[in-house]
Amino acid sequence: MNTKGKVKVIKKGTQQTVTTVVKVQKNAAKVASREVVANVTNWVNEFQQRRRDETRMAIEQLFGQQPTTNNV
């Protein structure tokens, strides 16, 4: 029975490229996440603005321009 663990030999040149690839992948994931968040935020803002515009138009149509007593 073998009680000693295995030893993995890492060469100096290959170690640097591995860390670079991992950093690039993490940065790419962050960028993609930011794009998704920005996209959803824009959707929410557009939806809220549309609701505000529709509400303003409905109130203007409902009450409209009422004559004042000074104009008579």
Side-chain angles (χ1 to χ4, degrees), residues 13-35:
T14 59
Q15 185 179 11
Q16 291 175 353
T17 58
V18 171
T19 56
T20 305
V21 171
V22 172
K23 287 182 182 179
V24 170
Q25 289 175 349
K26 286 182 181 179
N27 289 339
K30 285 182 182 180
V31 169
S33 297
R34 288 183 184 141
E35 289 177 1

Side-chain angles (χ1 to χ4, degrees), residues 44-59:
V44 170
N45 290 338
E46 289 174 5
F47 177 74
Q48 289 174 344
Q49 187 62 37
R50 194 173 345 127
R51 294 277 310 258
R52 290 182 193 127
D53 292 341
E54 290 173 356
T55 303
R56 185 180 335 108
M57 289 176 52
I59 289 173

